[in-house]
Amino acid sequence: MNQVIHDPAWIDSTLTAARPQAVSALLRYFRDMDTAEEAYQEACLRALKNWPRNGPPRDPVAWLILVGRNATLDGTRRRNRDVALPPDEMISDLTDAEAPLVERLDASHYRDDVLRLLFICCHPELPATQQVALALRIVSGLSVAQIARAFLVSDAAMEQRITRAKARIAKADVPFETPGPIERSERLAAVAAMIYLLFNEGYTAGNDPARASLCDEAIRLARLLLRMFQTEPETMGLTALMLLQQSRLPARFDSEGEVILLEDQDRVLWNAKLINEGVALLDKAMRHNRPGPYQVQAAIAATHARAAHFVETDWAGIDALYAALERMQPSPVITLNRAVVTAKLHGPEAGLTMIAPLEKALSGYFHYFGTRGAFLLQLGRTGEARADFDRAIALAGTPAQAAHIRRHLDRLIQDAG
């Protein structure tokens, strides 16, 4: 175990995975967002110092909650010239005393705090864009730049949104308690959107265990949400969508961590259990006859999952689903995705025509230039294609995204040659 704990990647991954539950519990205790975040950061600093020396705690989340809470209280007492708490070295990592101490912070189990916090962040006092942005920042710890990319806005604009959201919650004296049934229903859509953005941040991060853990956390939260709203078809659709996408994880990267394109993935490696669960949930949702965007996206993912080989993909069916999604939720990103399908059916010229009006709206979106570059290269317009691929790589938010574009470029150049 000592070898594991000395690995910085292991510590980073553990701290990232623990953040949602730890910050949520600290926020419920301190009732102040900035204080909770500072307490968690202090706990992380102490973990980096203590874990390599004393060994890892049996329950990292409980350890971080206890240490973050005590450190913050210690700072307050010192400022008040009170007696300080014992130093870090006196806190046991080996007796598993952290969990029962955390349990006594209040009557609720800290593992249920994350969903509670999501509903608090999605308070109607905040505009919808601020709700989701604040939840992503507080719960997942994503950077302002990462959240800005998800919303296709500048870092400065997103920083303002998050700052204003915190100020509004403080000014409105929002209670840090679980909202009642009516309030939960009113905030359901915003909570679902946050969970899916959280999943996407992990999914697009590539073969990075620290960020990939966000996918597991998002699925866990969706399952909790489904228990609260058992007859809500869109909650079923959201859960099904993430399960179906996560099912491809074992086939998405090669032995060196490079992205494997969908057409090249070994579908035998896809997780059949997750696929079956996702398809069953989708079928259950559709029986309610109340279609919604998550159900349609899950149906697209299920169509890919049902194809034993890439060449057997039902592109006409996927195109019809994207058309329905465009009507339900008009978005330049959805139109961009549909253009890829259109190109499969009618050729790259048709795809290029479809995305031409999207350039202004998606000028900072790397997928737009990667997709347009692919269409241009297929049409033999190599110079224009290279310029678009270079732009896409410059806009890529993660090494995995840049590698994806480079691999796609390499393949298309080989095919063209």
Side-chain angles (χ1 to χ4, degrees), residues 126-146:
L126 301 177
T129 52
Q130 289 185 13
Q131 291 175 355
V132 180
L134 179 63
L136 283 170
R137 179 72 189 99
I138 298 294
V139 176
S140 70
L142 300 184
S143 68
V144 171
Q146 289 169 320

Side-chain angles (χ1 to χ4, degrees), residues 336-355:
L336 178 65
N337 289 335
R338 188 184 179 191
V340 175
V341 180
T342 296
K344 296 288 185 184
L345 293 169
H346 307 295
E349 189 68 58
L352 200 60
T353 300
M354 182 176 287
I355 68 171

Side-chain angles (χ1 to χ4, degrees), residues 43 68 138 172 258 280 367:
I138 298 294
E258 295 292 325
H367 275 303

Side-chain angles (χ1 to χ4, degrees), residues 63-138:
W63 192 96
L64 290 164
I65 295 169
L66 179 66
V67 171
R69 170 184 175 270
N70 285 352
T72 302
L73 293 176
D74 189 20
T76 301
R77 288 169 178 164
R78 283 174 178 165
R79 285 192 295 272
N80 293 334
R81 297 185 179 181
D82 257 336
V83 179
L85 292 176
D88 299 345
E89 291 77 7
M90 300 296 293
I91 298 175
S92 170
D93 292 317
L94 304 176
T95 62
D96 202 26
E98 297 87 5
L101 283 171
V102 172
E103 293 291 347
R104 292 200 296 271
L105 290 180
D106 53 40
S108 300
H109 198 287
Y110 67 84
R111 288 182 174 83
D112 295 330
D113 283 337
V114 183
L115 199 58
R116 177 186 294 108
L117 178 56
L118 295 188
F119 279 102
I120 292 168
C121 287
C122 295
H123 193 277
E125 190 73 25
L126 301 177
T129 52
Q130 289 185 13
Q131 291 175 355
V132 180
L134 179 63
L136 283 170
R137 179 72 189 99
I138 298 294

